[in-house]
Amino acid sequence: MVKKARVIYNPTSGREMLKPQLVNILNVLENGGYEASAFATTPKPHSARDEATRASKEGFDLIVAAGGDGTINEVINGIAPLDYRPELGIIPAGTTNDFARALHIPRDDYVEAARVITKGNVSKMDVGKAYNDEITNYFINIAAGGFMTELTYNVPSDLKTIFGYLAYLVKGAEMLPNVKPVPMHLKYDGGEYRGKASMFFLAMTNSVGGFEQIVPNAAMDDGKFTMIIVKTGNLVEMLQLIAKAFNGGRHIDDPRIIYKKTNTFEAFPEDESRLQINLDGDYGGDAPMKFVDLKQRISIYSNLKTDDISESSSVAPQVKNAEKKFVKKVDELPSDSEK
């Protein structure tokens, strides 16, 4: 029996370079044994999510999410709640392509990304669930609250399209002087934190906005988030922590950081402060919010080997050079004792 594949693609992704390659992508899937068809997302809210749900309920064997991290997130939200979940393929055509980066999927050749699917290397991956009394959403890469939420909302789309990873570095440097810790109450497996924090992360891969050192030991299939709580909002201290992250991930041992693996997490605002939640780069509601890691919830085609699901992928040389310069400049800043 011929297997059926549905490509859900965003026609505006990748500076609109994806659509002209669609026929070639479908041919790759057809030659790989699938009866392949395509669906173009529309401006209607949750277009990709609803099509993923429909195709799943129709019994499709494979759904391919072709677009940026937002398109992938929507497709995940269409599949994750269901009892029957088709296998998932990824064709990255966005800005940072965090999830594709973590899966070692080619990010500059759509046809080669499609060929990854036909190689048959399937990995079972975790999916995050975020919920409260009003909403339930799923995420595949990261949940965050605090400064990171502000950062992803404030990077202009044209800047992200042109510069990708470096856009976050530029915008982050611009916003750092305005960072103010937010009073939070955070609960996790075996502990809790109550006080001011500038941000928290629940990471499921090692790539956060293109930064691969923030969660150096993240795994995508262990049923646990890699949690980071950043307690300081002091500008110099924030710069020092970023420099430590760039310099071999040494920030995870810093006392201004809480770094832990956890299956569950709860976030509550304190003092009537608003605490916005970011899921895979987009607004995901306001706290209070609960989170749970659904272990190996979805089967995804990747270029990963069984033993390197938690390994870091390569970083471009120009990015490495920028990070080294950043670390050097931070090292030149006066310490508290020199002030």
Side-chain angles (χ1 to χ4, degrees), residues 245-282:
F246 289 164
N247 192 14
R250 295 189 296 115
H251 63 298
I252 65 175
D253 298 317
D254 193 284
R256 295 163 292 190
I257 293 282
I258 300 175
Y259 188 90
K260 192 179 187 299
K261 291 277 193 173
T262 183
N263 173 256
T264 62
F265 186 85
E266 296 181 61
F268 304 89
E270 295 273 62
D271 301 333
E272 298 184 356
S273 300
R274 184 184 184 190
L275 181 56
Q276 298 182 67
I277 303 300
N278 182 300
L279 302 176
D280 287 346
D282 289 315

PDB file of all heavy atoms in Angstrom, residues 245-282:
ATOM      1  N   ALA A 245      28.619  31.867  28.675  1.00  0.00           N
ATOM      2  CA  ALA A 245      27.906  30.927  27.797  1.00  0.00           C
ATOM      3  C   ALA A 245      28.679  30.715  26.506  1.00  0.00           C
ATOM      4  O   ALA A 245      28.840  29.582  26.034  1.00  0.00           O
ATOM      5  CB  ALA A 245      26.503  31.449  27.501  1.00  0.00           C
ATOM      6  N   PHE A 246      29.171  31.804  25.919  1.00  0.00           N
ATOM      7  CA  PHE A 246      29.956  31.708  24.691  1.00  0.00           C
ATOM      8  C   PHE A 246      31.278  30.992  24.926  1.00  0.00           C
ATOM      9  O   PHE A 246      31.820  30.350  24.027  1.00  0.00           O
ATOM     10  CB  PHE A 246      30.232  33.101  24.125  1.00  0.00           C
ATOM     11  CG  PHE A 246      29.025  33.784  23.533  1.00  0.00           C
ATOM     12  CD1 PHE A 246      29.031  35.148  23.282  1.00  0.00           C
ATOM     13  CD2 PHE A 246      27.885  33.063  23.206  1.00  0.00           C
ATOM     14  CE1 PHE A 246      27.941  35.776  22.726  1.00  0.00           C
ATOM     15  CE2 PHE A 246      26.782  33.689  22.654  1.00  0.00           C
ATOM     16  CZ  PHE A 246      26.807  35.045  22.420  1.00  0.00           C
ATOM     17  N   ASN A 247      31.810  31.108  26.137  1.00  0.00           N
ATOM     18  CA  ASN A 247      33.129  30.557  26.455  1.00  0.00           C
ATOM     19  C   ASN A 247      32.994  29.177  27.092  1.00  0.00           C
ATOM     20  O   ASN A 247      33.347  28.954  28.251  1.00  0.00           O
ATOM     21  CB  ASN A 247      33.877  31.519  27.379  1.00  0.00           C
ATOM     22  CG  ASN A 247      35.346  31.161  27.526  1.00  0.00           C
ATOM     23  OD1 ASN A 247      35.879  30.367  26.754  1.00  0.00           O
ATOM     24  ND2 ASN A 247      35.993  31.748  28.518  1.00  0.00           N
ATOM     25  N   GLY A 248      32.428  28.246  26.329  1.00  0.00           N
ATOM     26  CA  GLY A 248      32.371  26.853  26.761  1.00  0.00           C
ATOM     27  C   GLY A 248      31.203  26.505  27.665  1.00  0.00           C
ATOM     28  O   GLY A 248      31.238  25.483  28.350  1.00  0.00           O
ATOM     29  N   GLY A 249      30.156  27.335  27.676  1.00  0.00           N
ATOM     30  CA  GLY A 249      28.976  27.022  28.485  1.00  0.00           C
ATOM     31  C   GLY A 249      29.239  27.063  29.980  1.00  0.00           C
ATOM     32  O   GLY A 249      28.584  26.359  30.753  1.00  0.00           O
ATOM     33  N   ARG A 250      30.175  27.907  30.431  1.00  0.00           N
ATOM     34  CA  ARG A 250      30.544  27.946  31.849  1.00  0.00           C
ATOM     35  C   ARG A 250      29.505  28.652  32.720  1.00  0.00           C
ATOM     36  O   ARG A 250      29.612  28.643  33.945  1.00  0.00           O
ATOM     37  CB  ARG A 250      31.921  28.619  32.009  1.00  0.00           C
ATOM     38  CG  ARG A 250      33.058  27.833  31.374  1.00  0.00           C
ATOM     39  CD  ARG A 250      34.411  28.399  31.739  1.00  0.00           C
ATOM     40  NE  ARG A 250      34.588  29.744  31.214  1.00  0.00           N
ATOM     41  CZ  ARG A 250      34.711  30.827  31.963  1.00  0.00           C
ATOM     42  NH1 ARG A 250      34.654  30.739  33.285  1.00  0.00           N
ATOM     43  NH2 ARG A 250      34.881  32.007  31.414  1.00  0.00           N
ATOM     44  N   HIS A 251      28.490  29.259  32.097  1.00  0.00           N
ATOM     45  CA  HIS A 251      27.458  29.957  32.866  1.00  0.00           C
ATOM     46  C   HIS A 251      26.631  29.016  33.731  1.00  0.00           C
ATOM     47  O   HIS A 251      26.038  29.431  34.722  1.00  0.00           O
ATOM     48  CB  HIS A 251      26.530  30.704  31.913  1.00  0.00           C
ATOM     49  CG  HIS A 251      25.780  29.811  30.977  1.00  0.00           C
ATOM     50  ND1 HIS A 251      26.411  28.998  30.049  1.00  0.00           N
ATOM     51  CD2 HIS A 251      24.447  29.557  30.821  1.00  0.00           C
ATOM     52  CE1 HIS A 251      25.507  28.318  29.380  1.00  0.00           C
ATOM     53  NE2 HIS A 251      24.310  28.635  29.825  1.00  0.00           N
ATOM     54  N   ILE A 252      26.579  27.733  33.372  1.00  0.00           N
ATOM     55  CA  ILE A 252      25.673  26.818  34.068  1.00  0.00           C
ATOM     56  C   ILE A 252      26.102  26.572  35.513  1.00  0.00           C
ATOM     57  O   ILE A 252      25.293  26.118  36.330  1.00  0.00           O
ATOM     58  CB  ILE A 252      25.525  25.474  33.316  1.00  0.00           C
ATOM     59  CG1 ILE A 252      26.841  24.702  33.296  1.00  0.00           C
ATOM     60  CG2 ILE A 252      25.004  25.706  31.913  1.00  0.00           C
ATOM     61  CD1 ILE A 252      26.711  23.320  32.664  1.00  0.00           C
ATOM     62  N   ASP A 253      27.348  26.878  35.857  1.00  0.00           N
ATOM     63  CA  ASP A 253      27.830  26.705  37.229  1.00  0.00           C
ATOM     64  C   ASP A 253      27.841  28.014  38.014  1.00  0.00           C
ATOM     65  O   ASP A 253      28.269  28.044  39.165  1.00  0.00           O
ATOM     66  CB  ASP A 253      29.251  26.115  37.214  1.00  0.00           C
ATOM     67  CG  ASP A 253      29.292  24.734  36.577  1.00  0.00           C
ATOM     68  OD1 ASP A 253      28.389  23.932  36.879  1.00  0.00           O
ATOM     69  OD2 ASP A 253      30.217  24.469  35.785  1.00  0.00           O
ATOM     70  N   ASP A 254      27.369  29.084  37.393  1.00  0.00           N
ATOM     71  CA  ASP A 254      27.388  30.387  38.046  1.00  0.00           C
ATOM     72  C   ASP A 254      26.251  30.482  39.070  1.00  0.00           C
ATOM     73  O   ASP A 254      25.129  30.048  38.803  1.00  0.00           O
ATOM     74  CB  ASP A 254      27.227  31.495  36.993  1.00  0.00           C
ATOM     75  CG  ASP A 254      27.538  32.867  37.538  1.00  0.00           C
ATOM     76  OD1 ASP A 254      26.689  33.409  38.273  1.00  0.00           O
ATOM     77  OD2 ASP A 254      28.615  33.407  37.228  1.00  0.00           O
ATOM     78  N   PRO A 255      26.512  31.040  40.273  1.00  0.00           N
ATOM     79  CA  PRO A 255      25.465  31.129  41.297  1.00  0.00           C
ATOM     80  C   PRO A 255      24.298  32.033  40.928  1.00  0.00           C
ATOM     81  O   PRO A 255      23.241  31.972  41.571  1.00  0.00           O
ATOM     82  CB  PRO A 255      26.221  31.671  42.519  1.00  0.00           C
ATOM     83  CG  PRO A 255      27.444  32.325  41.973  1.00  0.00           C
ATOM     84  CD  PRO A 255      27.818  31.530  40.761  1.00  0.00           C
ATOM     85  N   ARG A 256      24.466  32.858  39.898  1.00  0.00           N
ATOM     86  CA  ARG A 256      23.370  33.715  39.448  1.00  0.00           C
ATOM     87  C   ARG A 256      22.412  32.977  38.522  1.00  0.00           C
ATOM     88  O   ARG A 256      21.434  33.541  38.039  1.00  0.00           O
ATOM     89  CB  ARG A 256      23.937  34.963  38.747  1.00  0.00           C
ATOM     90  CG  ARG A 256      24.733  35.870  39.675  1.00  0.00           C
ATOM     91  CD  ARG A 256      25.612  36.851  38.926  1.00  0.00           C
ATOM     92  NE  ARG A 256      26.714  36.182  38.223  1.00  0.00           N
ATOM     93  CZ  ARG A 256      27.739  36.828  37.659  1.00  0.00           C
ATOM     94  NH1 ARG A 256      27.803  38.144  37.746  1.00  0.00           N
ATOM     95  NH2 ARG A 256      28.698  36.163  37.044  1.00  0.00           N
ATOM     96  N   ILE A 257      22.719  31.706  38.290  1.00  0.00           N
ATOM     97  CA  ILE A 257      21.929  30.845  37.401  1.00  0.00           C
ATOM     98  C   ILE A 257      21.428  29.632  38.184  1.00  0.00           C
ATOM     99  O   ILE A 257      22.147  29.073  39.008  1.00  0.00           O
ATOM    100  CB  ILE A 257      22.806  30.338  36.230  1.00  0.00           C
ATOM    101  CG1 ILE A 257      23.209  31.492  35.303  1.00  0.00           C
ATOM    102  CG2 ILE A 257      22.107  29.233  35.448  1.00  0.00           C
ATOM    103  CD1 ILE A 257      22.128  31.937  34.354  1.00  0.00           C
ATOM    104  N   ILE A 258      20.184  29.231  37.925  1.00  0.00           N
ATOM    105  CA  ILE A 258      19.702  27.917  38.361  1.00  0.00           C
ATOM    106  C   ILE A 258      19.577  27.075  37.099  1.00  0.00           C
ATOM    107  O   ILE A 258      18.835  27.427  36.175  1.00  0.00           O
ATOM    108  CB  ILE A 258      18.345  28.000  39.083  1.00  0.00           C
ATOM    109  CG1 ILE A 258      18.441  28.892  40.321  1.00  0.00           C
ATOM    110  CG2 ILE A 258      17.875  26.598  39.487  1.00  0.00           C
ATOM    111  CD1 ILE A 258      17.101  29.109  41.012  1.00  0.00           C
ATOM    112  N   TYR A 259      20.313  25.998  37.045  1.00  0.00           N
ATOM    113  CA  TYR A 259      20.379  25.148  35.842  1.00  0.00           C
ATOM    114  C   TYR A 259      20.033  23.727  36.261  1.00  0.00           C
ATOM    115  O   TYR A 259      20.695  23.145  37.110  1.00  0.00           O
ATOM    116  CB  TYR A 259      21.787  25.214  35.249  1.00  0.00           C
ATOM    117  CG  TYR A 259      21.954  24.551  33.904  1.00  0.00           C
ATOM    118  CD1 TYR A 259      21.765  25.268  32.732  1.00  0.00           C
ATOM    119  CD2 TYR A 259      22.322  23.209  33.807  1.00  0.00           C
ATOM    120  CE1 TYR A 259      21.932  24.674  31.495  1.00  0.00           C
ATOM    121  CE2 TYR A 259      22.495  22.601  32.578  1.00  0.00           C
ATOM    122  CZ  TYR A 259      22.305  23.342  31.425  1.00  0.00           C
ATOM    123  OH  TYR A 259      22.469  22.740  30.204  1.00  0.00           O
ATOM    124  N   LYS A 260      18.976  23.173  35.679  1.00  0.00           N
ATOM    125  CA  LYS A 260      18.484  21.880  36.151  1.00  0.00           C
ATOM    126  C   LYS A 260      17.674  21.183  35.071  1.00  0.00           C
ATOM    127  O   LYS A 260      17.112  21.818  34.185  1.00  0.00           O
ATOM    128  CB  LYS A 260      17.598  22.108  37.394  1.00  0.00           C
ATOM    129  CG  LYS A 260      17.246  20.842  38.182  1.00  0.00           C
ATOM    130  CD  LYS A 260      16.396  21.184  39.388  1.00  0.00           C
ATOM    131  CE  LYS A 260      16.195  19.950  40.282  1.00  0.00           C
ATOM    132  NZ  LYS A 260      15.498  18.862  39.570  1.00  0.00           N
ATOM    133  N   LYS A 261      17.599  19.875  35.155  1.00  0.00           N
ATOM    134  CA  LYS A 261      16.692  19.079  34.329  1.00  0.00           C
ATOM    135  C   LYS A 261      15.386  18.868  35.096  1.00  0.00           C
ATOM    136  O   LYS A 261      15.418  18.571  36.295  1.00  0.00           O
ATOM    137  CB  LYS A 261      17.317  17.716  34.013  1.00  0.00           C
ATOM    138  CG  LYS A 261      18.507  17.763  33.076  1.00  0.00           C
ATOM    139  CD  LYS A 261      18.052  17.812  31.635  1.00  0.00           C
ATOM    140  CE  LYS A 261      19.206  17.541  30.681  1.00  0.00           C
ATOM    141  NZ  LYS A 261      18.735  17.429  29.292  1.00  0.00           N
ATOM    142  N   THR A 262      14.276  19.008  34.411  1.00  0.00           N
ATOM    143  CA  THR A 262      12.990  18.829  35.083  1.00  0.00           C
ATOM    144  C   THR A 262      11.932  18.376  34.078  1.00  0.00           C
ATOM    145  O   THR A 262      11.951  18.796  32.922  1.00  0.00           O
ATOM    146  CB  THR A 262      12.538  20.138  35.775  1.00  0.00           C
ATOM    147  OG1 THR A 262      11.324  19.911  36.484  1.00  0.00           O
ATOM    148  CG2 THR A 262      12.333  21.270  34.777  1.00  0.00           C
ATOM    149  N   ASN A 263      11.030  17.527  34.520  1.00  0.00           N
ATOM    150  CA  ASN A 263       9.936  17.071  33.660  1.00  0.00           C
ATOM    151  C   ASN A 263       8.752  18.024  33.713  1.00  0.00           C
ATOM    152  O   ASN A 263       8.022  18.174  32.736  1.00  0.00           O
ATOM    153  CB  ASN A 263       9.477  15.667  34.077  1.00  0.00           C
ATOM    154  CG  ASN A 263       8.231  15.206  33.333  1.00  0.00           C
ATOM    155  OD1 ASN A 263       7.127  15.195  33.874  1.00  0.00           O
ATOM    156  ND2 ASN A 263       8.391  14.850  32.070  1.00  0.00           N
ATOM    157  N   THR A 264       8.558  18.677  34.846  1.00  0.00           N
ATOM    158  CA  THR A 264       7.441  19.614  35.013  1.00  0.00           C
ATOM    159  C   THR A 264       7.954  20.971  35.473  1.00  0.00           C
ATOM    160  O   THR A 264       9.041  21.086  36.050  1.00  0.00           O
ATOM    161  CB  THR A 264       6.408  19.090  36.025  1.00  0.00           C
ATOM    162  OG1 THR A 264       7.042  18.953  37.306  1.00  0.00           O
ATOM    163  CG2 THR A 264       5.854  17.749  35.590  1.00  0.00           C
ATOM    164  N   PHE A 265       7.141  21.995  35.231  1.00  0.00           N
ATOM    165  CA  PHE A 265       7.514  23.363  35.596  1.00  0.00           C
ATOM    166  C   PHE A 265       6.246  24.177  35.732  1.00  0.00           C
ATOM    167  O   PHE A 265       5.283  23.967  34.987  1.00  0.00           O
ATOM    168  CB  PHE A 265       8.413  23.963  34.506  1.00  0.00           C
ATOM    169  CG  PHE A 265       8.995  25.313  34.824  1.00  0.00           C
ATOM    170  CD1 PHE A 265      10.164  25.432  35.546  1.00  0.00           C
ATOM    171  CD2 PHE A 265       8.367  26.473  34.374  1.00  0.00           C
ATOM    172  CE1 PHE A 265      10.710  26.680  35.827  1.00  0.00           C
ATOM    173  CE2 PHE A 265       8.899  27.715  34.643  1.00  0.00           C
ATOM    174  CZ  PHE A 265      10.078  27.821  35.376  1.00  0.00           C
ATOM    175  N   GLU A 266       6.228  25.096  36.688  1.00  0.00           N
ATOM    176  CA  GLU A 266       5.096  26.004  36.859  1.00  0.00           C
ATOM    177  C   GLU A 266       5.618  27.417  37.039  1.00  0.00           C
ATOM    178  O   GLU A 266       6.598  27.632  37.748  1.00  0.00           O
ATOM    179  CB  GLU A 266       4.245  25.607  38.069  1.00  0.00           C
ATOM    180  CG  GLU A 266       3.576  24.254  37.941  1.00  0.00           C
ATOM    181  CD  GLU A 266       2.718  23.916  39.159  1.00  0.00           C
ATOM    182  OE1 GLU A 266       1.759  24.665  39.432  1.00  0.00           O
ATOM    183  OE2 GLU A 266       3.031  22.919  39.832  1.00  0.00           O
ATOM    184  N   ALA A 267       4.968  28.376  36.381  1.00  0.00           N
ATOM    185  CA  ALA A 267       5.370  29.775  36.462  1.00  0.00           C
ATOM    186  C   ALA A 267       4.190  30.626  36.914  1.00  0.00           C
ATOM    187  O   ALA A 267       3.103  30.549  36.324  1.00  0.00           O
ATOM    188  CB  ALA A 267       5.888  30.269  35.108  1.00  0.00           C
ATOM    189  N   PHE A 268       4.434  31.411  37.958  1.00  0.00           N
ATOM    190  CA  PHE A 268       3.402  32.303  38.482  1.00  0.00           C
ATOM    191  C   PHE A 268       3.970  33.718  38.569  1.00  0.00           C
ATOM    192  O   PHE A 268       5.122  33.901  39.000  1.00  0.00           O
ATOM    193  CB  PHE A 268       2.969  31.879  39.896  1.00  0.00           C
ATOM    194  CG  PHE A 268       2.497  30.462  40.000  1.00  0.00           C
ATOM    195  CD1 PHE A 268       3.397  29.431  40.274  1.00  0.00           C
ATOM    196  CD2 PHE A 268       1.154  30.138  39.834  1.00  0.00           C
ATOM    197  CE1 PHE A 268       2.970  28.115  40.385  1.00  0.00           C
ATOM    198  CE2 PHE A 268       0.721  28.823  39.943  1.00  0.00           C
ATOM    199  CZ  PHE A 268       1.627  27.813  40.212  1.00  0.00           C
ATOM    200  N   PRO A 269       3.207  34.732  38.173  1.00  0.00           N
ATOM    201  CA  PRO A 269       3.663  36.109  38.389  1.00  0.00           C
ATOM    202  C   PRO A 269       3.486  36.495  39.850  1.00  0.00           C
ATOM    203  O   PRO A 269       2.665  35.918  40.560  1.00  0.00           O
ATOM    204  CB  PRO A 269       2.725  36.922  37.488  1.00  0.00           C
ATOM    205  CG  PRO A 269       1.459  36.113  37.450  1.00  0.00           C
ATOM    206  CD  PRO A 269       1.887  34.664  37.537  1.00  0.00           C
ATOM    207  N   GLU A 270       4.272  37.436  40.312  1.00  0.00           N
ATOM    208  CA  GLU A 270       4.172  37.929  41.676  1.00  0.00           C
ATOM    209  C   GLU A 270       3.846  39.430  41.648  1.00  0.00           C
ATOM    210  O   GLU A 270       4.154  40.130  40.669  1.00  0.00           O
ATOM    211  CB  GLU A 270       5.490  37.718  42.424  1.00  0.00           C
ATOM    212  CG  GLU A 270       5.866  36.257  42.629  1.00  0.00           C
ATOM    213  CD  GLU A 270       5.264  35.657  43.898  1.00  0.00           C
ATOM    214  OE1 GLU A 270       4.008  35.608  43.984  1.00  0.00           O
ATOM    215  OE2 GLU A 270       6.023  35.257  44.782  1.00  0.00           O
ATOM    216  N   ASP A 271       3.231  39.918  42.705  1.00  0.00           N
ATOM    217  CA  ASP A 271       2.954  41.348  42.858  1.00  0.00           C
ATOM    218  C   ASP A 271       2.145  41.926  41.702  1.00  0.00           C
ATOM    219  O   ASP A 271       2.364  43.062  41.279  1.00  0.00           O
ATOM    220  CB  ASP A 271       4.272  42.133  42.991  1.00  0.00           C
ATOM    221  CG  ASP A 271       5.101  41.675  44.176  1.00  0.00           C
ATOM    222  OD1 ASP A 271       4.508  41.178  45.150  1.00  0.00           O
ATOM    223  OD2 ASP A 271       6.336  41.809  44.113  1.00  0.00           O
ATOM    224  N   GLU A 272       1.251  41.113  41.156  1.00  0.00           N
ATOM    225  CA  GLU A 272       0.374  41.532  40.055  1.00  0.00           C
ATOM    226  C   GLU A 272       1.149  41.929  38.800  1.00  0.00           C
ATOM    227  O   GLU A 272       0.621  42.606  37.921  1.00  0.00           O
ATOM    228  CB  GLU A 272      -0.528  42.686  40.498  1.00  0.00           C
ATOM    229  CG  GLU A 272      -1.472  42.306  41.647  1.00  0.00           C
ATOM    230  CD  GLU A 272      -2.427  43.432  42.005  1.00  0.00           C
ATOM    231  OE1 GLU A 272      -2.308  44.530  41.421  1.00  0.00           O
ATOM    232  OE2 GLU A 272      -3.307  43.206  42.866  1.00  0.00           O
ATOM    233  N   SER A 273       2.416  41.538  38.708  1.00  0.00           N
ATOM    234  CA  SER A 273       3.196  41.799  37.499  1.00  0.00           C
ATOM    235  C   SER A 273       2.754  40.857  36.380  1.00  0.00           C
ATOM    236  O   SER A 273       2.389  39.714  36.628  1.00  0.00           O
ATOM    237  CB  SER A 273       4.696  41.598  37.771  1.00  0.00           C
ATOM    238  OG  SER A 273       5.144  42.463  38.770  1.00  0.00           O
ATOM    239  N   ARG A 274       2.801  41.338  35.156  1.00  0.00           N
ATOM    240  CA  ARG A 274       2.467  40.492  34.007  1.00  0.00           C
ATOM    241  C   ARG A 274       3.696  39.676  33.612  1.00  0.00           C
ATOM    242  O   ARG A 274       4.802  40.205  33.494  1.00  0.00           O
ATOM    243  CB  ARG A 274       2.017  41.344  32.825  1.00  0.00           C
ATOM    244  CG  ARG A 274       1.554  40.509  31.634  1.00  0.00           C
ATOM    245  CD  ARG A 274       1.200  41.376  30.441  1.00  0.00           C
ATOM    246  NE  ARG A 274       0.676  40.567  29.347  1.00  0.00           N
ATOM    247  CZ  ARG A 274       0.463  41.030  28.111  1.00  0.00           C
ATOM    248  NH1 ARG A 274       0.718  42.294  27.820  1.00  0.00           N
ATOM    249  NH2 ARG A 274      -0.015  40.210  27.168  1.00  0.00           N
ATOM    250  N   LEU A 275       3.507  38.394  33.406  1.00  0.00           N
ATOM    251  CA  LEU A 275       4.589  37.504  32.991  1.00  0.00           C
ATOM    252  C   LEU A 275       4.155  36.814  31.700  1.00  0.00           C
ATOM    253  O   LEU A 275       3.394  35.845  31.716  1.00  0.00           O
ATOM    254  CB  LEU A 275       4.898  36.486  34.085  1.00  0.00           C
ATOM    255  CG  LEU A 275       6.026  35.484  33.807  1.00  0.00           C
ATOM    256  CD1 LEU A 275       7.323  36.202  33.463  1.00  0.00           C
ATOM    257  CD2 LEU A 275       6.227  34.566  35.011  1.00  0.00           C
ATOM    258  N   GLN A 276       4.645  37.338  30.572  1.00  0.00           N
ATOM    259  CA  GLN A 276       4.303  36.767  29.270  1.00  0.00           C
ATOM    260  C   GLN A 276       5.142  35.517  29.006  1.00  0.00           C
ATOM    261  O   GLN A 276       6.311  35.457  29.370  1.00  0.00           O
ATOM    262  CB  GLN A 276       4.547  37.789  28.157  1.00  0.00           C
ATOM    263  CG  GLN A 276       3.700  39.036  28.260  1.00  0.00           C
ATOM    264  CD  GLN A 276       3.949  39.975  27.102  1.00  0.00           C
ATOM    265  OE1 GLN A 276       3.622  39.678  25.950  1.00  0.00           O
ATOM    266  NE2 GLN A 276       4.546  41.123  27.397  1.00  0.00           N
ATOM    267  N   ILE A 277       4.519  34.561  28.331  1.00  0.00           N
ATOM    268  CA  ILE A 277       5.189  33.303  27.998  1.00  0.00           C
ATOM    269  C   ILE A 277       5.433  33.246  26.497  1.00  0.00           C
ATOM    270  O   ILE A 277       4.546  33.542  25.689  1.00  0.00           O
ATOM    271  CB  ILE A 277       4.341  32.093  28.438  1.00  0.00           C
ATOM    272  CG1 ILE A 277       4.043  32.159  29.943  1.00  0.00           C
ATOM    273  CG2 ILE A 277       5.055  30.798  28.084  1.00  0.00           C
ATOM    274  CD1 ILE A 277       5.269  32.168  30.827  1.00  0.00           C
ATOM    275  N   ASN A 278       6.643  32.867  26.134  1.00  0.00           N
ATOM    276  CA  ASN A 278       7.033  32.712  24.744  1.00  0.00           C
ATOM    277  C   ASN A 278       7.193  31.226  24.440  1.00  0.00           C
ATOM    278  O   ASN A 278       7.871  30.509  25.183  1.00  0.00           O
ATOM    279  CB  ASN A 278       8.358  33.454  24.514  1.00  0.00           C
ATOM    280  CG  ASN A 278       8.840  33.390  23.086  1.00  0.00           C
ATOM    281  OD1 ASN A 278       9.079  32.316  22.554  1.00  0.00           O
ATOM    282  ND2 ASN A 278       9.025  34.547  22.478  1.00  0.00           N
ATOM    283  N   LEU A 279       6.555  30.757  23.375  1.00  0.00           N
ATOM    284  CA  LEU A 279       6.668  29.363  22.962  1.00  0.00           C
ATOM    285  C   LEU A 279       7.212  29.303  21.544  1.00  0.00           C
ATOM    286  O   LEU A 279       6.569  29.790  20.609  1.00  0.00           O
ATOM    287  CB  LEU A 279       5.307  28.663  23.034  1.00  0.00           C
ATOM    288  CG  LEU A 279       4.608  28.659  24.397  1.00  0.00           C
ATOM    289  CD1 LEU A 279       3.228  28.012  24.275  1.00  0.00           C
ATOM    290  CD2 LEU A 279       5.441  27.943  25.447  1.00  0.00           C
ATOM    291  N   ASP A 280       8.386  28.743  21.378  1.00  0.00           N
ATOM    292  CA  ASP A 280       9.023  28.626  20.064  1.00  0.00           C
ATOM    293  C   ASP A 280       9.081  29.964  19.329  1.00  0.00           C
ATOM    294  O   ASP A 280       8.892  30.031  18.113  1.00  0.00           O
ATOM    295  CB  ASP A 280       8.301  27.580  19.200  1.00  0.00           C
ATOM    296  CG  ASP A 280       8.572  26.161  19.652  1.00  0.00           C
ATOM    297  OD1 ASP A 280       9.513  25.953  20.442  1.00  0.00           O
ATOM    298  OD2 ASP A 280       7.825  25.248  19.230  1.00  0.00           O
ATOM    299  N   GLY A 281       9.303  31.044  20.070  1.00  0.00           N
ATOM    300  CA  GLY A 281       9.500  32.347  19.447  1.00  0.00           C
ATOM    301  C   GLY A 281       8.270  33.199  19.304  1.00  0.00           C
ATOM    302  O   GLY A 281       8.366  34.335  18.834  1.00  0.00           O
ATOM    303  N   ASP A 282       7.108  32.698  19.693  1.00  0.00           N
ATOM    304  CA  ASP A 282       5.870  33.465  19.571  1.00  0.00           C
ATOM    305  C   ASP A 282       5.147  33.536  20.911  1.00  0.00           C
ATOM    306  O   ASP A 282       5.348  32.688  21.795  1.00  0.00           O
ATOM    307  CB  ASP A 282       4.941  32.844  18.518  1.00  0.00           C
ATOM    308  CG  ASP A 282       5.465  33.031  17.104  1.00  0.00           C
ATOM    309  OD1 ASP A 282       5.907  34.150  16.782  1.00  0.00           O
ATOM    310  OD2 ASP A 282       5.445  32.055  16.327  1.00  0.00           O
TER     311      ASP A 282
END
